[in-house]
Amino acid sequence: MTLTEKILARAAGKATVQSGDNVWVNADILMTHDVCGPGTIGVFKREFGKTAKVWDRNRVVIIPDHYIFTADSKSNRNVDILREFVKEQDIPYFYDVIDDPDGKWVFDASKGLLNRQYGSNYAGVCHTALPQKGHTRPGEILFGTDSHTCMAGAFNQFATGIGNTDAGFVLGTGKLLLKVPESMHFRLEGKLQPGVMAKDIILHCIGEIGFDGATYRAMQFDGSGVASLSMDDRMTVANMAIEAGGKNGIFEFDAKTEEFVNYRTRLNGTKSSYEPVARDKDEKFVFEMTVDLDKLEPTVACHPDPGQRKKAKEMGHIKLDRAYIGSCTGGKTSDFLEFARVLNGRKVVIDTFGVPATPEIVHDLQSSRWGDKTVWEILVAAGVQMTENAGCAACLGGPVDTFGRMNTPLICISATNRNFPGRMGHKESQVFLASPSTVAASALAGKITDPREYLS
Ligand code: SF4
């Protein structure tokens, strides 16, 4: 069996499964957020009754992160609905925007979009917050009401996005009927060269198979090249499995996975036991591809979909209005460090927005020093508009007052993960997806640029 099949077989209580089987699996964690949480709660109450209790309050994780720093009252109200449900159900893992469990969330626009407006429990973008807060464990099943839930496959777990109806059912029962996906094999060999990042790996893979090339399939990433990838790198790759239509992305378990998970579960006092899955000799794949990491070059996914792959060095004719770094995919500490490495001592020539995915990342950037400046100060000095309000921000467009949102038809290069028309705001805007290094180089030049031009 493949890694995915082994996890699904275990969760279904079966010795073996094969692709195409329909199996009932037990969920280890159900995650929801402010956009889909209220709808999921509505389904749960409608189907299980107004006074029903969730199947296991310790396995439900609720993370407001999407439409938070906006004066839109309906969006603010969504966070309040989550808080009321958490109180009613006595759910311990709720990462609220405010500290007062009886309060109401109201964004204060008069304080501006750059300065921190969250309390001490707020965790930021759900997919980045889940591992930071110790909720991702090898061998487990994670369901989330968000398509990029697949990011947790970096931790050798089966993680997939589900709709509100399925999530309402999981809330009530802890189970879900799943068709076992076919598995595709991406063997990574070699090592990334300077200026090339994990984002380039996944943009290359999606470019090879197309934005629907993995529809309802598992994308398994393994091979000797994985050892050189950090957990952040693996998260970037697994995150974008859905951009090829994948059901999930999954990596092998190794010492790096173990170190990360053990540290985070200990730090947060979450469940620390888990059982990883390892590769079998008899894995059956429907597709095989070897990616030579040494040969990869800075890559861009062009408007209008993530499969439109080109090399950054061939795209200098695309003039840009805006650059954006942030999101679960591209807003991690390591992403900002590579971004800053290119920008250090230079000035951007187009509007450039930086949105760390989580408050912990804000803290990392404001406390790491390069010489006499923090990384945060280096970015601000380079002309990047950095917000402390960690969250999804303009990755998903959002209400019109969202930080970095494209309210007019602009051309943007972005470290985010999705570029279908209208994704970051105006429906006639264009988004080019790239690594943080390529976004930085392009922000300096005002046109799509290979970051190796700026690396000595
Ligand atoms: S940062 Fe973007 S891709 Fe990630 S969860 Fe938020 S909206 Fe979705």
Side-chain angles (χ1 to χ4, degrees):
M1 290 188 287
T2 64
L3 295 176
T4 295
E5 288 160 357
K6 287 178 95 166
I7 296 175
L8 292 178
R10 187 198 290 163
K14 293 180 180 291
T16 60
V17 295
Q18 57 184 22
S19 59
D21 288 353
N22 290 303
V23 290
W24 284 98
V25 298
N26 293 313
D28 290 291
I29 297 284
L30 174 74
M31 184 280 298
T32 190
H33 52 50
D34 55 297
V35 174
C36 297
T40 295
I41 292 165
V43 171
F44 168 70
K45 289 194 176 269
R46 189 186 71 213
E47 298 300 324
F48 293 91
K50 283 198 169 54
T51 57
K53 290 287 178 194
V54 299
W55 101 100
D56 186 339
R57 68 187 190 92
N58 291 308
R59 292 176 187 266
V60 177
V61 180
I62 302 188
I63 310 181
D65 61 352
H66 274 64
Y67 301 154
I68 308 299
F69 305 105
T70 166
D72 180 75
S73 59
K74 289 203 178 77
S75 300
N76 294 172
R77 172 77 187 128
N78 273 358
V79 184
D80 296 337
I81 292 171
L82 299 180
R83 188 178 310 106
E84 284 156 20
F85 184 68
V86 162
K87 217 171 357 164
E88 169 197 308
Q89 299 283 334
D90 195 19
I91 289 170
Y93 299 121
F94 174 48
Y95 299 95
D96 200 355
V97 191
I98 56 172
D99 284 338
D100 179 1
D102 300 316
K104 302 267 181 228
W105 165 237
V106 182
F107 176 73
D108 184 352
S110 71
K111 289 187 183 158
L113 290 163
L114 299 185
N115 298 322
R116 169 181 168 156
Q117 283 206 44
Y118 47 81
S120 57
N121 294 320
Y122 180 64
V125 180
C126 56
H127 310 303
T128 321
L130 278 168
Q132 284 184 342
K133 297 296 182 185
H135 297 296
T136 53
R137 277 171 293 268
E140 290 197 349
I141 301 260
L142 166 70
F143 292 123
T145 60
D146 190 282
S147 62
H148 294 101
T149 302
C150 54
M151 179 151 131
F155 299 93
N156 184 246
Q157 70 178 132
F158 178 83
T160 196
I162 58 175
N164 293 358
T165 309
D166 280 353
F169 185 79
V170 175
L171 266 187
T173 64
K175 294 183 191 307
L176 195 61
L177 183 65
L178 278 185
K179 186 171 86 169
V180 178
E182 296 172 326
S183 289
M184 300 171 82
H185 190 201
F186 297 82
R187 189 176 27 242
L188 311 184
E189 306 286 358
K191 197 167 182 305
L192 292 173
Q193 295 302 299
V196 186
M197 297 184 67
K199 183 69 165 285
D200 299 303
I201 302 174
I202 190 64
L203 290 180
H204 172 75
C205 293
I206 300 171
E208 288 292 307
I209 63 176
F211 75 93
D212 56 355
T215 301
Y216 208 93
R217 286 174 168 177
M219 296 174 77
Q220 179 169 317
F221 301 92
D222 55 47
S224 60
V226 171
S228 66
L229 300 180
S230 67
M231 293 315 297
D232 273 10
D233 291 337
R234 299 176 201 184
M235 283 191 257
T236 300
V237 172
N239 176 289
M240 290 189 66
I242 184 62
E243 301 311 325
K247 183 72 174 165
N248 66 310
I250 191 161
F251 277 80
E252 279 185 277
F253 174 82
D254 66 7
K256 280 188 187 168
T257 328
E258 184 175 28
E259 187 189 349
F260 186 108
V261 172
N262 291 356
Y263 173 68
R264 289 290 169 172
T265 51
R266 250 197 323 265
L267 184 70
N268 294 286
T270 49
K271 177 173 164 261
S272 56
S273 58
Y274 56 84
E275 205 181 324
V277 286
R279 295 188 61 194
D280 275 350
K281 288 206 175 69
D282 68 347
E283 294 166 303
K284 286 196 184 61
F285 294 108
V286 292
F287 173 90
E288 298 266 0
M289 176 177 150
T290 299
V291 182
D292 189 344
L293 301 182
D294 291 279
K295 296 211 176 96
L296 286 187
E297 295 194 61
T299 302
V300 175
C302 303
H303 174 79
D305 74 67
Q308 303 294 325
R309 173 206 33 183
K310 294 232 165 56
K311 288 185 179 150
K313 67 184 184 192
E314 296 163 354
M315 299 292 293
H317 58 286
I318 302 288
K319 299 258 183 303
L320 299 163
D321 303 304
R322 177 168 293 198
Y324 185 99
I325 175 171
S327 82
C328 43
T329 328
K332 303 180 290 309
T333 299
S334 56
D335 295 313
F336 275 96
L337 293 180
E338 290 312 307
F339 184 67
R341 218 177 295 288
V342 177
L343 292 187
N344 194 1
R346 301 186 171 105
K347 279 267 184 203
V348 300
V349 298
I350 53 175
D351 282 343
T352 303
F353 296 83
V355 190
T358 70
E360 183 175 320
I361 295 165
V362 173
H363 178 263
D364 286 348
L365 301 175
Q366 292 183 338
S367 56
S368 312
R369 301 192 85 82
W370 288 357
D372 61 348
K373 285 201 177 79
T374 65
V375 173
W376 189 277
E377 287 165 346
I378 286 167
L379 293 173
V380 171
V384 182
Q385 300 177 55
M386 293 292 297
T387 181
E388 293 179 326
N389 288 320
C392 296
C395 170
L396 182 66
V400 285
D401 57 349
T402 300
F403 183 72
R405 185 184 195 275
M406 290 197 280
N407 290 327
T408 51
L410 302 173
I411 301 179
C412 177
I413 188 154
S414 177
T416 55
N417 50 25
R418 190 167 280 173
N419 64 344
F420 295 109
R423 168 71 180 180
M424 292 183 72
H426 198 283
K427 65 179 189 303
E428 284 158 29
S429 58
Q430 296 184 25
V431 177
F432 293 79
L433 303 173
S435 76
S437 296
T438 302
V439 172
S442 304
L444 291 172
K447 58 185 183 164
I448 295 180
T449 301
D450 188 319
R452 294 172 298 187
E453 290 184 23
Y454 288 94
L455 296 173
S456 54

